[in-house]
Amino acid sequence: IRTNADTPEMAKNAVMLGAEGIGLCRTEHMFFEGDRIDTMRQMILASDESDRRKALKKLLPFQRRDFAGLFKAMGTLPVTIRLLDPPLHEFLPHDDTTRRQLATKLGLTQEAIADRVKALHEENPMLGHRGCRLGITYPEITEMQARAIFEAAAQVGKLKKPIKVKPEIMIPLVGFKTELQNQVDIVHQVAREVMDKKGVKIDYSVGTMIEIPRAAVTAAEIAEVAEFFSFGTNDLTQTALGLSRDDMGGFFDDYRNREIFSQNPFASLDQGGVGKLVETAATKGRETRKGMKLGICGEHGGDPASIGFFHNVGLDYVSCSPPRVPVARLSAAQAALK
Ligand code: PEP
Ligand code: MG
């Protein structure tokens, strides 16, 4: 059992509850703290790559410190770090007062901010410019995040009591092997640069989330590039069922009452549908890459019935939020005994 944890505090809590690693660190949560959000906004509002890089340079030490904190909290336990995933407009202010303050702080006009917010607007953000699509269009974001991870790993490796970490870097929302290859190349390049500069060797792996049906059915190809898979069953459920978690409120009760759905598919895995995709991807992935590490980090990682299913399809771990770790441990133990 691993925990989904985004901060050193969450990680410590998870370990205290019996987690044996972190299966998902959602790095975007690190950008909201204190006045980092303003630097993040500066990066998003930048008009060209050079300005974007200036803002990213300011974000680097914050990310590096966060990752070092996470590594210290986890010791040698595995930590899977996911690169930036949400659409960028989620970071921008939508009210006039905050926009006015931001304009003053960044020396921009309020109109310029409003224009950028408008330009970033999407009709279906869940299927829009997010996940690896961000790192592909703005490779400098991936570079900064990878640099922060490797520099943090080098740093904790040089402590008085050195910690030898093996970061697992995870690329989100991949549907095509070519998307993954694009991002993996950047990560390897940065890894080489940091290791040369610091004179250290860092053991790391790069893998992907499987959260788009296309990734699941082409898992054999994707595994040629991915060193591990982690099933993002939240997005996989949304995309496989064509069902938005945020928009099902209007009909979900009817579906339950008419017994069309026997359960909420976002709480307990739709084993007959989404589960088939998981099973297919697990089998195909391991056909290409024998013994490949497989996990799951969607909400289902804390659901007893789903945990039983994941055990049966041979996943190596489930990852869930810290408070659910004890239930997940019990369910995994029961599944193993069965
Ligand atoms: C998922 O899609 O299952 C996942 C873990 O990612 P997120 O919920 O952050 O999109
Ligand atoms: Mg997801």
Side-chain angles (χ1 to χ4, degrees), residues 234-250:
N234 302 334
D235 274 306
L236 193 59
T237 300
Q238 301 206 81
T239 49
L241 274 61
L243 177 68
S244 156
R245 183 170 41 177
D246 304 322
D247 300 311
M248 70 177 192

Side-chain angles (χ1 to χ4, degrees), residues 239-311:
T239 49
L241 274 61
L243 177 68
S244 156
R245 183 170 41 177
D246 304 322
D247 300 311
M248 70 177 192
F251 57 89
F252 179 67
D253 284 346
D254 278 343
Y255 266 48
R256 284 285 282 124
N257 293 339
R258 291 169 210 268
E259 295 179 2
I260 292 171
F261 281 176
S262 59
Q263 67 203 352
N264 177 348
F266 292 102
S268 195
L269 192 79
D270 161 37
Q271 295 181 16
V274 180
K276 283 280 180 292
L277 289 170
V278 172
E279 202 174 350
T280 302
T283 308
K284 284 179 180 290
R286 281 187 175 151
E287 271 168 20
T288 299
R289 196 179 283 267
K290 210 164 169 289
M292 181 183 206
K293 195 194 265 191
L294 303 172
I296 174 264
C297 62
E299 293 302 316
H300 308 88
D303 169 62
S306 311
I307 291 170
F309 175 85
F310 297 132
H311 176 82

Side-chain angles (χ1 to χ4, degrees), residues 82 85 130 211 235:
R82 179 181 74 187
D85 185 20
R130 55 167 289 219
E211 51 185 347
D235 274 306

Side-chain angles (χ1 to χ4, degrees), residues 137-213:
T137 40
Y138 305 119
E140 53 277 11
I141 299 180
T142 301
E143 278 174 40
M144 184 282 283
Q145 292 203 286
R147 191 173 303 284
I149 294 167
F150 293 121
E151 288 183 355
Q155 203 176 77
V156 300
K158 288 183 174 174
L159 291 171
K160 241 193 232 149
K161 272 197 189 156
I163 307 171
K164 212 169 158 40
V165 292
K166 186 182 175 215
E168 296 174 2
I169 298 167
M170 184 153 80
I171 313 296
L173 214 78
V174 161
F176 291 78
K177 175 186 158 185
T178 43
E179 290 178 303
L180 181 63
Q181 188 69 62
N182 173 291
Q183 292 294 282
V184 167
D185 288 348
I186 297 174
V187 173
H188 287 328
Q189 170 67 27
V190 173
R192 274 193 297 272
E193 280 170 25
V194 174
M195 287 194 270
D196 283 352
K197 194 164 159 210
K198 306 276 176 196
V200 292
K201 165 116 186 57
I202 299 162
D203 203 5
Y204 69 97
S205 59
V206 192
T208 188
M209 306 270 300
I210 300 285
E211 51 185 347
I212 302 260

Side-chain angles (χ1 to χ4, degrees), residues 25-260:
C25 166
R26 291 177 165 106
T27 52
E28 57 266 20
H29 293 166
M30 295 171 168
F31 294 121
F32 283 102
E33 226 173 85
D35 44 358
R36 288 177 206 194
I37 186 64
D38 287 340
T39 314
M40 183 65 181
R41 287 169 173 166
Q42 186 185 359
M43 191 276 288
I44 295 166
L45 294 166
S47 50
D48 57 22
E49 185 190 324
S50 139
D51 278 353
R52 214 162 22 249
R53 283 191 182 275
K54 277 185 205 144
L56 285 165
K57 212 170 163 183
K58 286 201 248 171
L59 287 170
L60 174 69
F62 293 120
Q63 281 251 281
R64 190 172 49 219
R65 197 187 314 147
D66 285 336
F67 293 139
L70 216 51
F71 294 150
K72 284 183 203 161
M74 297 307 289
T76 52
L77 294 173
V79 178
T80 310
I81 298 167
R82 179 181 74 187
L83 302 188
L84 192 68
D85 185 20
L88 296 181
H89 56 76
E90 283 193 11
F91 298 92
L92 293 179
H94 292 273
D95 64 289
D96 282 346
T97 315
T98 320
R99 273 190 206 172
R100 202 162 37 241
Q101 287 165 348
L102 187 67
T104 312
K105 198 160 180 184
L106 301 182
L108 296 168
T109 62
Q110 242 177 286
E111 290 71 38
I113 296 182
D115 284 351
R116 187 78 176 123
V117 172
K118 214 161 138 195
L120 287 171
H121 171 80
E122 293 175 318
E123 295 298 336
N124 291 303
M126 184 187 95
L127 302 176
H129 197 176
R130 55 167 289 219
C132 65
R133 298 162 192 169
L134 292 171
I136 290 170
T137 40
Y138 305 119
E140 53 277 11
I141 299 180
T142 301
E143 278 174 40
M144 184 282 283
Q145 292 203 286
R147 191 173 303 284
I149 294 167
F150 293 121
E151 288 183 355
Q155 203 176 77
V156 300
K158 288 183 174 174
L159 291 171
K160 241 193 232 149
K161 272 197 189 156
I163 307 171
K164 212 169 158 40
V165 292
K166 186 182 175 215
E168 296 174 2
I169 298 167
M170 184 153 80
I171 313 296
L173 214 78
V174 161
F176 291 78
K177 175 186 158 185
T178 43
E179 290 178 303
L180 181 63
Q181 188 69 62
N182 173 291
Q183 292 294 282
V184 167
D185 288 348
I186 297 174
V187 173
H188 287 328
Q189 170 67 27
V190 173
R192 274 193 297 272
E193 280 170 25
V194 174
M195 287 194 270
D196 283 352
K197 194 164 159 210
K198 306 276 176 196
V200 292
K201 165 116 186 57
I202 299 162
D203 203 5
Y204 69 97
S205 59
V206 192
T208 188
M209 306 270 300
I210 300 285
E211 51 185 347
I212 302 260
R214 193 184 193 285
V217 298
T218 62
E221 274 173 47
I222 301 223
E224 288 167 13
V225 181
E227 292 177 84
F228 63 84
F229 286 165
S230 176
F231 293 94
T233 50
N234 302 334
D235 274 306
L236 193 59
T237 300
Q238 301 206 81
T239 49
L241 274 61
L243 177 68
S244 156
R245 183 170 41 177
D246 304 322
D247 300 311
M248 70 177 192
F251 57 89
F252 179 67
D253 284 346
D254 278 343
Y255 266 48
R256 284 285 282 124
N257 293 339
R258 291 169 210 268
E259 295 179 2
I260 292 171

